[in-house]
Amino acid sequence: MLVQQIIKAIVSGRKMIIAFVLIAVCISLAISASMVPIYQSKVTFVIAPNKNLPSSRDVVSAFTALDTLDIFSTYADILSSVRVIEEANKVVGLDDEEMVSYKRSTQMNPQSIILELSVEGPDAKKTAFLANEIGKYGIQFINAYFSVFEIDFLDQAVISKSAYKPRTYRDMGIFAGFGLCIGLIVVIFKELLDIPINQFVQRFSMDNESL
């Protein structure tokens, strides 16, 4: 009985459900249109023991240190440090206001010896340029101060052809899903609420003796 009532509510309220979905999609499009496109560029680095280490024992010790992942944390902190970013920006030439809109983050892959630097910003070319310059100066700085390990580019950043944010089609799908859920809840709740109200009205409008 309840299932039949729910199906009836969905069928009779399909226009309302569609309206909720369309409203949600329009809201998503409005939000996407008002946002400044953000682009993302990534640089990956490979870390390995220095090939010029004097003995095989040093090489073994270096690999043991790699297993602890402490070196990854150190290199990640260096790549995101203010000094490295400022030196890289001397080449890129962003002013202080522009620099605020460029976000940097580093990520370690615990299953490999790969370190990733990600830069997000409103200009695709400058985002990729900044990522590569941070990587370039970071490599110079790290290799100058740490002789046991070497860090080098695995893949340099490329100019992104599409915005990382907003993801218009993905957001539309998410908002449409929310709209669909809200529409279903509203029409089902309305149908279930109408049943006791109708029964209540019928009960007090019918004479008990004559029916």
Side-chain angles (χ1 to χ4, degrees), residues 65-93:
L66 275 179
D67 288 337
T68 66
L69 299 180
D70 291 340
I71 195 69
F72 280 85
S73 299
T74 302
Y75 287 2
D77 291 340
I78 292 173
L79 286 170
S80 59
S81 66
V82 174
R83 177 175 178 179
V84 170
I85 293 170
E86 287 180 348
E87 290 295 328
N89 192 40
K90 290 179 181 179
V91 180
V92 181

Side-chain angles (χ1 to χ4, degrees), residues 125-181:
K125 292 183 179 179
K126 291 181 180 180
T127 300
F129 191 17
L130 180 61
N132 284 327
E133 288 302 316
I134 292 175
K136 186 186 299 182
Y137 186 78
I139 289 172
Q140 295 176 3
F141 184 90
I142 292 170
N143 288 338
Y145 282 88
F146 299 90
S147 58
V148 177
F149 299 98
E150 288 183 327
I151 181 173
D152 202 358
F153 283 116
L154 180 61
D155 292 305
Q156 294 193 23
V158 295
I159 299 173
S160 178
K161 296 181 180 179
S162 58
Y164 174 67
K165 297 177 183 178
R167 299 179 182 179
T168 304
Y169 294 109
R170 185 203 65 173
D171 294 343
M172 283 175 57
I174 293 174
F175 273 75
F178 278 120
L180 177 62
C181 292

Side-chain angles (χ1 to χ4, degrees), residues 24-90:
V25 170
C26 290
I27 293 173
S28 173
L29 290 174
I31 294 174
S32 297
S34 63
M35 291 180 64
V36 177
I38 300 297
Y39 298 89
Q40 184 185 62
S41 291
K42 293 182 178 181
V43 180
T44 54
F45 308 88
V46 61
I47 301 172
N50 193 327
K51 56 182 176 293
N52 296 320
L53 289 176
S55 67
S56 58
R57 179 178 297 179
D58 293 328
V59 174
V60 173
S61 299
F63 274 112
T64 302
L66 275 179
D67 288 337
T68 66
L69 299 180
D70 291 340
I71 195 69
F72 280 85
S73 299
T74 302
Y75 287 2
D77 291 340
I78 292 173
L79 286 170
S80 59
S81 66
V82 174
R83 177 175 178 179
V84 170
I85 293 170
E86 287 180 348
E87 290 295 328
N89 192 40
K90 290 179 181 179

Side-chain angles (χ1 to χ4, degrees), residues 18 20 61 79 92 106 110 128 135 166 198 204-205 207:
I18 294 173
F20 273 101
S61 299
L79 286 170
V92 181
T106 53
N198 291 334
F204 284 90
S205 62
D207 182 73

